Structures are given as structure tokens and as C-alpha cells.
Amino acid sequence: MGLAHRILRDFVGTEITRIQVDSRLIYESLKDFTSEFVPELESLLELYEGDKPIFDMFDTENEIQRSLERKVDLKSGGYLIIDQTEAMTTVDINTGAFVGRRNLEETIFNTNVEATQAIARQLRLRNLGGIIIIDFIDMGLDEHRQRVLTSLEAALAKDRVKTNINGFTQLGLVEMTRKRTRESIEHVLCSGCPTCEGRGSVKTVETVCYEILREITRVNRAYDADNFVVYAAPAVADALEGDESHALAELEVFIGKQVRIQAEPLYIQEQFDVVMM
């Protein structure tokens, strides 16, 4: 079964009013498929023949890009931060620029309520499953906490995938689960970062510089070399010849040997080689 057919089978529900296809071949195939297996969808199929690419027409490319970003802006000025790990997904809510009209408690409550709608949508859009921890902004009133939970439950009721909300913990976090049905959109569209290897950060230029200096010291003690050449990423090479040149000069005096720096454009920031000459 092709991708388009699986989408019709797995994702199209009663809330869908139109299904547009930009390929006549696939359109005809879907017409046959719906006629035989899901006749209630046949009338919803439309062949898109516009001048603009269909993804541009409906802003799909930008929507895909937004679904891969950590930060999700709310209309009020607040925002969500969504982090997906192997163990769980965490969602952090922040007020951002939203200050409210009356008081801080109102601002917090309104931001949290707005966030429940965005969270439910993002869980579906990103196909996030497993354990999900939501860190709503702290609320002082029990009534507000209950209303936020009610809003979250109502928003998740639209989800075809089974969800379970366990309520607020003693730490003020909301624990919930969402059944895993398939890989998340991030795992489908992305691969691990070759630079940070999935850590989400890389060592600073200064850190790498001092790793290099320590490596030169170790190699010098273990082997008899006349001098050294260091191959490093351009930013690191620039630092060794600039801001950290004093440390390099001190090392040269300490080991009594010359150290030459060579920038390698293809090296990532943490990558370097110390070569004996």
C-alpha cells in the first residue's frame, strides 16, 4: 500500500473536509481506493492544478520546519519549549512578552490555558508518544490548576491516539502518556547531528584550545619529537593564534619546541590532530 493510501487509511477522520492531491496518477489511484474501501471519502478528493506548488500554496514547508523547532510561539506572546529525549518528552511553558491586563496570576492562568491547546496540537503534529511531562507556569489557585487540566483534557479529546493525564505532581508538573503509534516526525525527518553526536551542544573554542595544549604536553612526554603541527577547525586555529596565543607561547617555552597551527576547513569544532614532526 502506497504512502497516500496509508494516509487516507490512518489519518483521515470526520474533521477532514477536503483532500487535495497534486498528482493525477495518485488522484486516480485514490479515487479507486476510496470508492472500494472508504466511499465516504471519495467526494472529498480534489485534484490540485494550481500554478504554485501545493506545499507552497498551503505553507506546508514552513509548517514542517516549525514542527521540528524546540520553540513554539503562542499568540499571546508566550511560548512552549519542547524537548524530546529517549526517555520522555518535556514541555515547558513561559509567559514571554505576555504581561496581561490585570495581574500576574491572570497572565499565568491565561498563558497556561492557551498552552493546553498548543500542546495538544503539537503532540499530534509531531506524533510524540510515551511519557510526557508538562511544566506549566506555577499557579497559586487550585481552581486555576483544575481549569487548566480540564482545558488540556478537552484539547486532547480530539486526539485519535490514546492519552492519559495523571494530573499535577507534588512538584507542580503534569504527567501524561500518549500511546506510541509510530516514529515521531523528528525521528522520521532528521538524523543525529554529526557535530555534537546528539548532545545538543559542542565544546567551546576555548575548551578545545586547552584540550589541544594538554594533548601536546602528553604527546611530548611520551615521544621524542622535534616540533608539532596542530590541525584544527578554523575557529580553533584562529583562537590559538589570537586570543589563546599567550597560552600557546607559554607551552612552547615549557616543552622547548615549536608548535605550528594549521586550519582545516573540513574539521568540526571539536576535531583536531596533533602531529609530531
Side-chain angles (χ1 to χ4, degrees):
M1 184 179 291
L3 175 61
H5 301 78
R6 294 200 305 272
I7 290 174
L8 283 187
R9 181 194 66 187
D10 297 340
F11 295 107
V12 175
T14 56
E15 72 280 4
I16 300 297
T17 58
R18 287 192 302 165
I19 304 169
Q20 295 199 324
V21 185
D22 64 350
S23 164
R24 180 171 292 278
L25 183 64
I26 294 177
Y27 171 76
E28 296 295 343
S29 176
L30 290 179
K31 289 284 284 186
D32 294 339
F33 176 80
T34 54
S35 175
E36 183 174 357
F37 297 105
V38 277
E40 65 273 15
L41 298 180
E42 186 176 4
S43 62
L44 304 183
L45 284 172
E46 297 178 6
L47 178 63
Y48 176 79
E49 298 179 296
D51 294 331
K52 295 178 66 175
I54 192 169
F55 270 28
D56 293 347
M57 182 66 183
F58 296 100
D59 199 34
T60 305
E61 293 285 4
N62 289 330
E63 196 66 42
I64 292 173
Q65 182 58 41
R66 285 191 288 268
S67 73
L68 297 173
E69 294 174 356
R70 293 180 67 228
K71 184 177 180 181
V72 178
D73 291 322
L74 302 176
K75 292 181 180 179
S76 64
Y79 59 91
L80 314 178
I81 296 293
I82 301 175
D83 286 313
Q84 183 182 356
T85 68
E86 291 297 325
M88 67 182 69
T89 297
T90 61
V91 183
D92 184 41
I93 295 92
N94 297 275
T95 56
F98 185 35
V99 295
R101 294 189 178 90
R102 290 166 53 187
N103 55 49
L104 180 60
E105 183 64 30
E106 178 193 66
T107 298
I108 291 172
F109 171 67
N110 289 336
T111 302
N112 283 339
V113 169
E114 182 185 8
T116 61
Q117 307 300 313
I119 290 169
R121 181 175 184 273
Q122 291 299 320
L123 295 183
R124 296 194 303 271
L125 186 64
R126 300 172 187 236
N127 198 32
L128 297 172
I131 299 172
I132 299 164
I133 304 296
I134 305 173
D135 186 8
F136 286 106
I137 308 167
D138 289 340
M139 293 171 283
L141 300 177
D142 289 339
E143 177 191 356
H144 282 177
R145 283 192 287 271
Q146 186 55 51
R147 288 170 65 183
V148 166
L149 277 181
T150 301
S151 178
L152 180 61
E153 290 170 352
L156 291 172
K158 306 171 187 176
D159 199 336
R160 298 178 66 184
V161 177
K162 182 180 179 181
T163 59
N164 181 49
I165 303 174
N166 294 329
F168 281 94
T169 68
Q170 291 183 342
L171 295 177
L173 307 173
V174 170
E175 292 181 349
M176 65 166 289
T177 58
R178 185 173 186 269
K179 184 179 179 181
R180 293 186 188 274
T181 55
R182 54 182 58 82
E183 292 289 333
S184 69
I185 190 171
E186 180 181 348
H187 286 162
V188 171
L189 300 182
C190 304
S191 60
C193 172
T195 300
C196 72
E197 297 180 342
R199 298 197 312 269
S201 61
V202 295
K203 295 175 182 176
T204 65
V205 168
E206 182 182 18
T207 298
V208 178
C209 285
Y210 282 92
E211 283 187 351
I212 291 172
L213 299 182
R214 292 194 297 272
E215 179 65 13
I216 293 172
T217 302
R218 282 192 290 268
V219 173
N220 182 67
R221 288 175 177 172
Y223 303 98
D224 184 19
D226 294 331
N227 51 62
F228 296 93
V229 177
V230 174
Y231 297 92
V236 175
D238 289 345
L240 286 170
E241 294 177 328
D243 293 344
E244 305 300 335
S245 59
H246 64 285
L248 179 61
E250 290 175 3
L251 177 64
E252 288 179 314
V253 172
F254 177 71
I255 64 176
K257 296 168 185 176
Q258 182 184 13
V259 178
R260 185 164 59 88
I261 307 300
Q262 177 68 47
E264 285 293 331
L266 297 181
Y267 276 26
I268 61 175
Q269 186 158 296
E270 296 182 1
Q271 185 178 0
F272 64 86
D273 289 300
V274 175
V275 179
M276 298 180 295
M277 303 297 289

